């Protein structure tokens, strides 16, 4: 959770990572990593606590924002998706722990983040935010192509890093087979 808050505000030390007013963050990386390292339930819980802290006003979201008003922002869907991202990423790893599965789980988590967050953004602009001139569903997805290469690379890195941590004995999850045997 703390790493997600730091990753959200990387633009404070690297302001060039704001494109079109949208901060390019490391939040997805850390949400995926939470699921891969902590497992489905603890990972999802850590992202839930992250979201709640931000909603009650702790300035831990991108650009040091916090408060309930963020719920209506076009980018809140990405924050909300972190809970599902961590859960699904962790659940996939709990079925099988291998390097390809860690990378698959990380990329799946990233895809969930993009699908949920981008659809939330589109909905927000269509219903409660002023959409820019010429705004379309296709345009929202075009905006997401800017951070996509970074997130693909970071998701693969998260998968490899989490696998290395697991091989070193760091992590709190077991496979479903290990849970049945316990």
């Amino acid at each position: 959770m703390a790493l997600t808050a730091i990753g959200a505000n990387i633009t404070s030390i690297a302001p060039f990572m704001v494109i079109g007013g949208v901060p390019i963050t490391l939040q997805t990386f850390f949400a995926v990593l939470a699921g891969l390292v902590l497992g489905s339930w603890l990972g999802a819980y850590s992202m839930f606590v992250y979201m709640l802290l931000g909603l009650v006003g702790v300035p831990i979201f991108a650009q040091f924002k916090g408060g309930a008003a963020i719920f209506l922002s076009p980018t809140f869907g990405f924050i909300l998706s972190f809970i599902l991202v961590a859960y699904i990423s962790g659940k996939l790893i709990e079925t099988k722990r291998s390097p390809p599965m860690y990378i698959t789980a990380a990329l799946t988590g990233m895809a969930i983040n993009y699908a949920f967050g981008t659809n939330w953004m589109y909905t927000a602009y269509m219903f409660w935010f002023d959409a820019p001139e010429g705004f379309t569903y296709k345009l929202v997805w075009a905006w997401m192509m800017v951070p996509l290469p970074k997130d693909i690379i970071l998701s693969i890195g998260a998968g490899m890093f989490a696998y290395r941590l697991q091989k070193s004995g760091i992590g709190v999850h077991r496979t479903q087979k290990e849970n049945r045997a316990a």
Side-chain angles (χ1 to χ4, degrees), residues 91 94 97 172-182:
K91 203 51 135 169
E94 290 165 7
R97 284 192 250 177
V172 295
H173 56 275
R174 298 186 262 180
T175 63
Q176 289 176 351
K177 185 178 177 181
E178 290 169 333
N179 283 336
R180 285 191 294 270

Side-chain angles (χ1 to χ4, degrees), residues 21-91:
V22 177
I24 307 301
T25 70
L26 300 176
Q27 290 169 295
T28 303
F29 172 81
F30 287 116
V32 166
L33 200 57
L36 297 179
V37 174
L38 299 176
S40 58
W41 286 107
L42 283 176
Y45 181 71
S46 73
M47 292 298 100
F48 178 73
V49 170
Y50 169 75
M51 181 188 70
L52 281 182
L53 283 173
L55 287 175
V56 298
V58 179
I60 57 175
F61 296 145
Q63 299 174 327
F64 294 104
K65 291 181 182 170
I70 204 85
F71 180 76
L72 294 175
S73 80
T75 58
F76 182 72
F78 293 100
I79 295 167
L80 188 59
S81 79
F82 295 154
I83 300 165
L84 187 59
V85 165
Y87 181 80
I88 298 296
S89 297
K91 203 51 135 169

Side-chain angles (χ1 to χ4, degrees), residues 92-116:
L92 288 170
I93 290 307
E94 290 165 7
T95 61
K96 182 179 180 183
R97 284 192 250 177
S98 68
M101 182 53 83
Y102 272 84
I103 292 170
T104 299
L107 290 171
T108 301
M110 184 211 68
I112 290 167
N113 177 250
Y114 269 65
F116 195 95

